[in-house]
Amino acid sequence: MNRLNSGNIQQLPSDVQLPLYKRAELKPGIVHLGIGAFHRAHQAFYTEAVLNQFGGDWGIVGCSLRSATVREQLAPQDNLYTLVERSGEGEKLQLIGAVLKTLVGPEDPAALVALMADPAIRIVSLTVTEKGYCHDPATGDLNRAHPDIIHDLANLDRPVSAIGYLVAALQQRFRAGHKSFTALSCDNLPNNGEVLAKVVWQFAAQVSAELADWIKANTCFPCTMIDRIVPATTDEDRHEIEARLGLRDEGMVVAEPFTQWVVEDRFSDGRPQWEKVGVQLVDDVHVFEKIKLRLLNGSHSTLAYTGYLSGFNYISEVMSEPAFVNMIKLYMAREAGETVAAPDGFDIEFYKQQLRDRFFNKALKHRTWQIAMDGSQKLPQRLLETLREQLAGNGHIDIICLAVAAWIRYVSGVDEQGNPIEVSDPLAATLHQLCTENAGNPLAMVKAVVSLSQVFGTDLINDTRFVETTALWLTRFYDKGVLATIKHYFA
């Protein structure tokens, strides 16, 4: 079967939406670090809409900072790919052409730095996941002991981390007298622009005080809130779309119809007209971000850990069990719901129902294991900030403790049948060791894990209510099993 490329797109079925602009005339204006499925289904999707309506020179150069997988998927296809929106009503297919080129940073770090330093590039955006910021999630500070940061401070001419690439490119702009670019974080972090700014400034200060001052004065780091469920693409997905298209598309991505992007309108050197294609450009992202992180992401993680341990592969399967739906309804109303306030005109009850409907979308094969990845990086913003707020007001913490207990049970590395769990987490080895050393004693296990200051800070280990409630849930999980426990308390 022939691969999709710019020479055969006219062969595509008539119901596939094609680019409405001339790709040959498009010029790069954005470099994106971390060109995974989410970027292709979200930021590239919105940029494609701008290009379709208004044209312009906001083409994207996508960069992988680790493997060549995405480049191998996209480059033979002239960087074209199909975005498939799936719901209970069917599928909508759109060919995305906004990505002009894909690079692999480790193959030629200097070339990527030079590209980012080119003044034609006005935005450098990132989806590198929480762990890509090389920071301490509990404090937001740059982790100077991180191997990538140690390497980059000694070898800034060939960086390996996203932070190193940003500072290396900004240093070249500073020396050349060029304008700075906007550094646009699109990762699921509270105050993501502020987190990015902090680690960049702290890194730059180790290079040169003058450089750090220039970055502070000239580089914008807008905060953003992103929302779209984008499961990992499977071989089954590729085979299905190949049958639909009559062409092989290795770079296709699948997403739900719902999508949202809220962006702080603060840019160093211009931006696409995203606000004309559905992006909310606002003065303050925080209220939207807080609602999303606590209601959506907190619920998602809770469902992922409890669902995986209960034997469910997909989130939609978890939502088919009424006890889990009841649990998440209660969490949204109580633990998370009591800590968020809706902006004017925002129907938060409708939003909660919308979230539950999205989780139930059976057309999306969103794996519990995928959502469970990197929990040590995700818990601080998805659950622990909510926990601290509730503890301060002597509020509800029960389901948050349940979720933390499920995470601890998960990172122990052995499921309820005695089979190994493939735990994908930067702290996987440490967490496994702590759980193993305290096996058979849930309270000791909780205390050992909560003592990890890089996840839980230094305050939560001293909160008896939190520690004992979490240990109680963990005891129940070991005694009865997760599924039986959830059914017993939430049926």
Side-chain angles (χ1 to χ4, degrees):
M1 181 69 72
N2 291 333
R3 287 283 287 275
L4 171 72
N5 61 60
S6 57
N8 58 28
I9 62 174
Q10 298 307 320
Q11 301 175 24
L12 293 173
S14 59
D15 61 342
V16 178
Q17 181 181 335
L18 302 181
L20 302 178
Y21 52 92
K22 296 179 180 178
R23 285 188 86 217
E25 298 176 4
L26 193 59
K27 297 177 182 177
I30 300 170
V31 167
H32 184 82
L33 305 180
I35 182 166
F38 187 83
H39 169 72
R40 284 176 276 158
H42 193 270
Q43 301 94 46
F45 160 79
Y46 282 109
T47 303
E48 180 80 4
V50 172
L51 296 173
N52 277 334
Q53 291 191 36
F54 307 106
D57 52 355
W58 288 105
I60 299 168
V61 178
C63 306
S64 297
L65 299 186
R66 299 297 177 194
S67 77
T69 302
V70 176
R71 196 265 312 277
E72 291 167 357
Q73 291 172 343
L74 293 181
Q77 304 179 179
D78 300 319
N79 298 290
L80 293 163
Y81 63 92
T82 312
L83 170 60
V84 182
E85 293 183 2
R86 282 185 180 157
S87 69
E89 284 78 53
E91 293 183 340
K92 174 186 173 185
L93 276 59
Q94 180 179 2
L95 193 67
I96 305 293
V99 179
L100 300 180
K101 190 174 183 180
T102 42
L103 302 177
V104 182
E107 292 182 353
D108 192 345
L112 176 52
V113 171
L115 173 65
M116 294 165 62
D118 187 328
I121 300 301
R122 286 162 284 166
I123 295 173
V124 176
S125 52
L126 303 87
T127 48
V128 293
T129 75
E130 293 89 343
K131 63 185 175 184
Y133 289 75
C134 302
H135 74 309
D136 181 341
T139 65
D141 287 324
L142 180 71
N143 178 5
R144 295 180 190 176
H146 193 291
D148 290 354
I149 298 302
I150 292 171
H151 172 277
D152 289 357
L153 285 170
N155 305 276
L156 199 53
D157 59 327
R158 45 189 176 90
V160 295
S161 73
I163 309 308
Y165 275 107
L166 287 169
V167 175
L170 288 168
Q171 182 184 54
Q172 288 194 13
R173 291 201 180 212
F174 169 56
R175 289 173 172 171
H178 295 322
K179 268 188 173 182
S180 185
F181 52 70
T182 298
L184 186 66
S185 170
C186 301
D187 281 295
N188 264 324
L189 290 163
N191 311 314
N192 55 9
E194 295 169 17
V195 170
L196 181 60
K198 187 176 184 179
V199 293
V200 166
W201 294 339
Q202 290 179 345
F203 186 108
Q206 299 297 303
V207 177
S208 147
E210 278 189 332
L211 174 61
D213 289 342
W214 181 84
I215 292 173
K216 283 189 176 183
N218 293 277
T219 308
C220 292
F221 296 85
C223 289
T224 69
M225 188 279 277
I226 57 169
D227 191 3
R228 191 170 214 183
I229 295 175
V230 184
T233 307
T234 65
D235 287 338
E236 182 183 357
D237 293 326
R238 295 186 183 94
H239 289 313
E240 288 179 2
I241 294 307
E242 181 179 333
R244 286 279 306 273
L245 300 181
L247 295 168
R248 182 71 176 173
D249 181 357
E250 292 287 347
M252 64 157 291
V253 290
V254 178
E256 64 173 336
F258 180 93
T259 181
Q260 186 181 21
W261 195 11
V262 185
V263 182
E264 183 184 4
D265 197 3
R266 195 164 57 87
F267 287 77
S268 306
D269 191 18
R271 59 168 175 76
Q273 298 179 70
W274 283 319
E275 76 279 8
K276 295 187 177 179
V277 295
V279 179
Q280 293 170 266
L281 274 295
V282 300
D283 294 329
D284 187 359
V285 171
H286 295 99
V287 63
F288 297 95
E289 172 190 83
K290 188 175 181 181
I291 289 171
K292 189 251 181 175
L293 279 167
R294 297 192 178 189
L295 289 173
L296 187 153
N297 296 124
S299 298
H300 229 183
S301 289
T302 302
L303 290 169
Y305 295 117
T306 56
Y308 181 95
L309 293 165
S310 298
F312 296 114
N313 289 321
Y314 303 110
I315 289 294
S316 60
E317 294 175 346
V318 184
M319 292 295 286
S320 68
E321 170 52 61
F324 286 88
V325 177
N326 293 339
M327 177 182 71
I328 287 303
K329 278 184 179 179
L330 187 58
Y331 170 80
M332 288 181 176
R334 204 175 62 179
E335 277 84 349
E338 291 170 352
T339 70
V340 295
D344 290 343
F346 186 89
D347 186 341
I348 199 161
E349 293 307 317
F350 174 74
Y351 177 74
K352 292 175 188 176
Q353 182 59 56
Q354 196 175 32
L355 290 180
R356 294 190 291 270
D357 292 343
R358 292 166 63 193
F359 294 157
F360 193 70
N361 183 353
K362 294 180 180 179
L364 282 185
K365 301 298 185 182
H366 205 187
R367 294 179 66 195
T368 51
W369 182 85
Q370 181 189 359
I371 301 160
M373 293 171 64
D374 300 329
S376 67
Q377 310 295 296
K378 294 174 178 176
L379 257 64
Q381 58 269 10
R382 295 187 175 199
L383 292 167
L384 301 185
E385 288 307 306
T386 310
L387 171 69
R388 288 186 173 93
E389 198 167 321
Q390 287 286 31
L391 285 170
N394 197 31
H396 294 101
I397 65 167
D398 205 40
I399 299 176
I400 300 173
C401 294
L402 179 156
V404 173
W407 174 69
I408 293 172
R409 179 70 185 83
Y410 176 85
V411 298
S412 72
V414 180
D415 68 16
E416 293 180 2
Q417 287 71 47
N419 300 313
I421 300 172
E422 184 187 350
V423 178
S424 177
D425 191 288
L427 298 179
T430 300
L431 291 162
H432 178 70
Q433 181 179 349
L434 291 173
C435 292
T436 301
E437 289 173 351
N438 294 280
N441 188 336
L443 179 59
M445 192 182 293
V446 169
K447 287 182 176 179
V449 172
V450 175
S451 294
L452 284 172
S453 61
Q454 60 264 58
V455 181
F456 292 92
T458 57
D459 57 327
L460 292 176
I461 186 58
N462 299 312
D463 193 290
T464 303
R465 184 179 170 217
F466 163 61
V467 171
E468 291 185 351
T469 306
T470 303
L472 179 60
W473 281 112
L474 187 57
T475 301
R476 290 166 176 163
F477 291 159
Y478 276 111
D479 287 349
K480 296 176 180 286
V482 174
L483 179 58
T485 300
I486 301 296
K487 284 184 174 182
H488 179 78
Y489 287 95
F490 299 100

